[in-house]
Amino acid sequence: MNGQRQSRFDKGNDVVVMKFGGTSVEDGDAIRRLIEIVQSRLSAQVVVVVSALARVTDQLLEAGNAAAKGHLGSALATVRNIYVRHEELADSLVDGSAYSALDRELRGEFRALESLLHDLEVSRRLDLKSQDQLLGFGECFSSRLVKEALCQAGVNAGHVDARRCIVTDARHGQANPVWYATDQQIQDTVSPLLESGRVAVLGGFIASTSDGVPTTLGRGGSDFSAAIIGAALCASRVEIWTDVDGVMTTDPKLCSDARVIRKMSFDEAAELAHLGAKVLHPATLAPAMRENIPVYVLNSRRPEGEGTEIAARARAGKVVNAITAKRKIAAVEIESERAVDSELLRTVYAAFDRHSCAVDVMATSLGRISLLVGSTAALPGIAADLQGVAKVRWENHKALVSLVGEKIRRQPDVASRAFAAVADRDVRVLCQGASDRTISFLVEESKVEESVQRLHALFFAKPEASPDWEEVSVAFCQAGVSQAG
């Protein structure tokens, strides 16, 4: 983070930051499991970061869109259902005066939410600034509920509004932390609770600018919140509690043979997150990496499981550690009459930047730039900006399938083995990542599942099931797959 930071904590303090996702707080049983897990960590100083209850963020967005279109009644009905769900949970988890206090807090928050929906109905516009304010209610509700449920169970817990802790820029929709200010705020607000022996409970995902305007860290940003807090407090570990047993060798929805990766490096996990793996938010690992704090991905429904440990260095294992697939990719071809040079690249990237269109993969050849992007919405505008400079064409409904592993660059036969397995799937592009840890290729979206299954069988098969690599190499040569990158 910031080299001049003066923390009240050091690496000798046993601070554990535990993040619980939406499915880990979705109902009374889930929250009771959360309580038991937190109780098992009370020998340390504990920070609990919670997401909104499962599906609540989507419902809030639905309500906001309805109000902005003039359907206020529908919007209010949606948030009423959200309120009833939280009220029923509170009734099942908390009693007595604590319930009355929690009920007052929730009612106050819901009145503010309804007021915002009225404003949206008048303005007829849900911009990113209003959306940040709207979506933040989910984490406010869940964190207050979880704090009271912990106290009811005998855990000395205190609530902290994450918007007072995490300071960001004003990039609404996916704000960036202002690191030094955030560190100081976390130490000023969270540290006193920990020092007094209390568990600090915060909502993830939410933040605010230095002027107090609500922002969010983007969908899935509760993981990022946990890592930010862990880094500021020099935590001994960050735990991401979810509904899967850890980081898997591939998406189990695509391949039933997927298995848990017991240990992997920060770099491998970051590559997986960037390339479409859903277990971690892509930005999660950066703060933990900088402070060298191990991150554990664990299953709140099976807390006895080992999960996945993500650390600076992982034990040498397979050449390919995981396979991921990123859908809804567009393949973009930018063709110019002149050779590709630094000036053309600057012009192209400036156009993509103006339209906030992120580039996943790029390859160049004489007079041509090939790009993969995750959204086509901005491409017509980009094509218009580049008119007279280059011709822009694109194809939709592609998917980027990637192999990730520390040793991939040192094993030149990995690409040939992979492409031999999927050569008949109309593979078009091969890119060996600049990080040395990835090899990616493009397939039709309709062929993702079969491609992943074939590759998983190839690289994660039992030794006795290993194929004849001489035959594989011949098949690859016969396939005539094009390569770029």
Side-chain angles (χ1 to χ4, degrees):
M1 299 299 155
N2 189 308
Q4 298 179 340
R5 183 184 69 194
Q6 295 297 315
S7 175
R8 302 178 196 184
F9 291 80
D10 57 43
K11 291 290 198 260
N13 286 292
D14 191 14
V15 177
V16 177
V17 179
M18 311 173 70
K19 176 264 177 177
F20 292 88
T23 56
S24 296
V25 292
E26 64 183 350
D27 54 29
D29 288 340
I31 294 175
R32 292 184 189 95
R33 287 193 296 267
L34 176 154
I35 293 168
E36 291 179 0
I37 293 168
V38 171
Q39 288 172 328
S40 73
R41 299 291 193 272
L42 291 181
S43 59
Q45 295 174 309
V46 177
V47 180
V48 174
V49 178
V50 295
S51 299
L53 272 57
R55 301 181 301 281
V56 164
T57 301
D58 288 336
Q59 290 175 311
L60 287 169
L61 186 58
E62 175 189 330
N65 283 320
K69 292 176 182 176
H71 307 306
L72 183 60
S74 173
L76 292 174
T78 297
V79 300
R80 175 66 185 175
N81 289 336
I82 295 172
Y83 171 70
V84 169
R85 182 180 174 190
H86 285 79
E87 188 179 51
E88 290 174 347
L89 266 178
D91 186 50
S92 70
L93 295 166
V94 183
D95 56 30
S97 60
Y99 172 79
S100 298
L102 175 60
D103 187 54
R104 285 194 298 272
E105 288 182 346
L106 292 177
R107 286 178 183 273
E109 292 282 359
F110 272 96
R111 281 194 295 269
L113 172 55
E114 290 179 343
S115 177
L116 175 58
L117 292 175
H118 280 278
D119 292 343
L120 293 175
E121 194 262 344
V122 171
S123 69
R124 289 292 201 274
R125 183 166 180 259
L126 179 61
D127 58 17
L128 288 176
K129 182 178 179 181
S130 299
Q131 182 174 296
D132 276 354
Q133 184 180 358
L134 173 71
L135 299 186
F137 280 101
E139 271 69 15
C140 293
F141 301 150
S142 63
S143 58
R144 293 181 185 280
L145 177 61
V146 167
K147 176 262 180 182
E148 289 298 341
L150 283 166
C151 289
Q152 182 75 39
V155 177
N156 188 8
H159 181 264
V160 178
D161 189 337
R163 293 168 297 190
R164 292 177 52 211
C165 298
I166 300 180
V167 183
T168 70
D169 59 18
R171 187 188 176 198
H172 291 284
Q174 192 159 5
N176 300 300
V178 179
W179 292 110
Y180 183 76
T182 294
D183 287 351
Q184 290 300 122
Q185 287 296 104
I186 290 171
Q187 290 163 19
D188 290 344
T189 55
V190 178
S191 297
L193 278 178
L194 302 183
E195 291 168 348
S196 66
R198 303 176 76 185
V199 171
V201 181
L202 304 87
F205 170 67
I206 54 176
S208 68
T209 66
S210 58
D211 297 327
V213 178
T215 58
T216 65
L217 300 173
R219 292 299 293 265
S222 294
D223 292 353
F224 194 19
S225 297
I228 291 168
I229 293 166
L233 299 176
C234 295
S236 61
R237 57 195 278 149
V238 172
E239 298 178 352
I240 306 295
W241 290 88
T242 180
D243 57 358
V244 295
D245 288 336
V247 181
M248 310 291 284
T249 50
T250 194
D251 184 347
K253 294 178 182 177
L254 294 175
C255 178
S256 59
D257 292 333
R259 63 194 70 165
V260 177
I261 303 169
R262 293 302 176 199
K263 190 167 184 177
M264 65 192 312
S265 70
F266 281 129
D267 292 322
E268 287 177 306
E271 293 278 6
L272 279 176
H274 174 69
L275 292 167
K278 302 299 184 184
V279 176
L280 290 171
H281 184 280
T284 299
L285 296 169
M289 288 172 70
R290 286 195 286 263
E291 298 294 335
N292 197 23
I293 300 169
V295 176
Y296 294 81
V297 180
L298 301 155
N299 189 346
S300 63
R301 296 172 182 173
R302 288 162 35 100
E304 70 281 359
E306 295 181 31
T308 299
E309 178 187 357
I310 305 171
R313 294 183 180 180
R315 183 177 64 253
K318 290 181 174 290
V319 175
V320 176
N321 215 5
I323 301 166
T324 187
K326 194 170 188 178
R327 299 176 186 265
K328 298 181 180 179
I329 293 290
V332 184
E333 295 288 339
I334 300 174
E335 193 169 357
S336 174
E337 292 183 359
R338 72 171 193 255
V340 175
D341 56 16
S342 58
E343 182 181 350
L344 179 60
L345 288 172
R346 279 196 300 269
T347 302
V348 168
Y349 267 100
F352 276 79
D353 187 57
R354 280 194 300 274
H355 291 271
S356 300
C357 185
V359 175
D360 288 317
V361 177
M362 182 188 78
T364 64
S365 60
L366 186 64
R368 178 173 295 184
I369 303 171
S370 299
L371 303 171
L372 301 182
V373 301
S375 171
T376 60
L379 294 178
I382 292 171
D385 286 2
L386 295 176
Q387 190 172 6
V389 177
K391 295 179 181 178
V392 181
R393 300 185 299 272
W394 61 89
E395 294 181 75
N396 300 331
H397 308 299
K398 307 297 180 186
L400 188 68
V401 176
S402 302
L403 311 178
V404 178
E406 289 287 353
K407 296 182 178 181
I408 279 183
R409 181 62 66 92
R410 302 177 211 164
Q411 300 289 334
D413 67 326
V414 170
S416 61
R417 292 162 60 185
F419 274 87
V422 294
D424 60 341
R425 297 291 85 192
D426 190 26
V427 177
R428 296 182 50 200
V429 178
L430 165 63
C431 299
Q432 187 152 349
S435 67
D436 293 347
R437 295 180 187 86
T438 63
I439 293 175
S440 302
F441 55 91
L442 201 65
V443 300
E444 296 291 334
E445 264 192 321
S446 61
K447 298 173 182 176
V448 166
E449 185 171 351
E450 184 179 356
S451 298
V452 169
Q453 289 173 355
R454 289 187 186 187
L455 290 167
H456 196 274
L458 176 65
F459 290 105
F460 296 94
K462 295 178 180 179
E464 60 269 21
S466 297
D468 184 327
W469 294 124
E470 185 176 348
E471 292 181 7
V472 166
S473 180
V474 171
F476 175 76
C477 293
Q478 292 174 343
V481 179
S482 62
Q483 298 192 32

